[in-house]
Structures are given as structure tokens and as C-alpha cells.
Amino acid sequence: MDHPTVVRLYRFVTVGAFAAGIQTVLLWLLVEFGDLNYLVAATASIEVTIVLQFFVNNAWTFQHAGHTTRSDFLLGLVRTNVVRGSAIPLQVGLLWAFVNWAGLMYLLANGFAIFISGLYRYYLDSRWTWQI
């Protein structure tokens, strides 16, 4: 259980779960009080948590390969936005499918979409953003 990959995966999942909670609250606020379509609100809430997760993952999950100089930090932020930005259509598409085909409530559907797209994000972030 002390293997570096296991530790990183545990930390990545912990950060992701925290961010998923924030993303869900933002989604709910934007839909219920901002009167936005759930897909538009999901896209906005995803982007907010992309930046949040980069800061926390850089400082904790991938601290051994963290970006400490300004240029490395900015490059890492761009890379994670490419990785996670490329996951937005996947997550929003799954959200749409779960709502429209499976009949799930948008908040529950978002949880399933976050989980599935999280596997994709971990693989690419660990291999490219922090190059482990």
C-alpha cells in the first residue's frame, strides 16, 4: 500500500472526490439559482474545478514532480487544462446520456459522469501533466 502509484492514486481520488463535491454544488447553484441549462452549468463548474484540482494535485498528489518554477507551473496548468478540457465533452456527453437515456436526475448523473471521466483524467494527468 506504500507503493508510490497507490499513494498517488489515493491522493488523486481524494482530491477528485473533494472537487466532485464542489462541482456538484456549483452545478446545482447554477441550474437552480442561475437558471442555466444543466449542460452549460456542468461545463462551467467543471472548468472551475479543473483549476482547483491542479493547485491541490500539484502541491500534494504529485508533489515529487510538482511544478515549482513559474514557467513549469504555467506549463502544468496549460497541460492539465488540455487533459481535463478534453475530458469535458466526455463528461458532459455522459451526463446527457445518463439524464436522457437512463432517466437519472442531473446531479446523480453528474456523479457517474465524474467517476468515469476521472479514470481518463488520471491516466493522462499522471503520464503527461506530471510525467511520472
Side-chain angles (χ1 to χ4, degrees), residues 13-67:
V13 168
T14 300
V15 172
F18 174 71
I22 291 173
Q23 186 184 119
T24 301
V25 169
L26 287 173
L27 173 60
W28 177 75
L29 289 170
L30 292 171
V31 169
E32 301 301 326
F33 298 102
D35 203 30
L36 289 178
N37 174 279
Y38 74 98
L39 298 174
V40 173
T43 303
S45 63
I46 291 167
E47 184 57 37
V48 168
T49 58
I50 285 173
V51 175
L52 170 69
Q53 288 178 88
F54 176 76
F55 281 96
V56 178
N57 277 323
N58 190 61
W60 187 47
T61 307
F62 299 103
Q63 64 193 12
H64 66 285
H67 304 294

Side-chain angles (χ1 to χ4, degrees), residues 27-117:
L27 173 60
W28 177 75
L29 289 170
L30 292 171
V31 169
E32 301 301 326
F33 298 102
D35 203 30
L36 289 178
N37 174 279
Y38 74 98
L39 298 174
V40 173
T43 303
S45 63
I46 291 167
E47 184 57 37
V48 168
T49 58
I50 285 173
V51 175
L52 170 69
Q53 288 178 88
F54 176 76
F55 281 96
V56 178
N57 277 323
N58 190 61
W60 187 47
T61 307
F62 299 103
Q63 64 193 12
H64 66 285
H67 304 294
T68 55
T69 67
R70 183 184 299 205
S71 62
D72 283 347
F73 186 82
L74 292 174
L75 178 61
L77 187 57
V78 167
R79 283 182 172 182
T80 202
N81 265 284
V82 169
V83 166
R84 292 168 181 273
S86 70
I88 291 173
L90 172 64
Q91 185 174 335
V92 172
L94 288 167
L95 172 61
W96 181 89
F98 289 141
V99 168
N100 290 287
W101 291 346
L104 297 178
M105 183 184 130
Y106 74 93
L107 292 175
L108 180 60
N110 190 58
F112 287 121
I114 287 171
F115 177 78
I116 294 168
S117 64

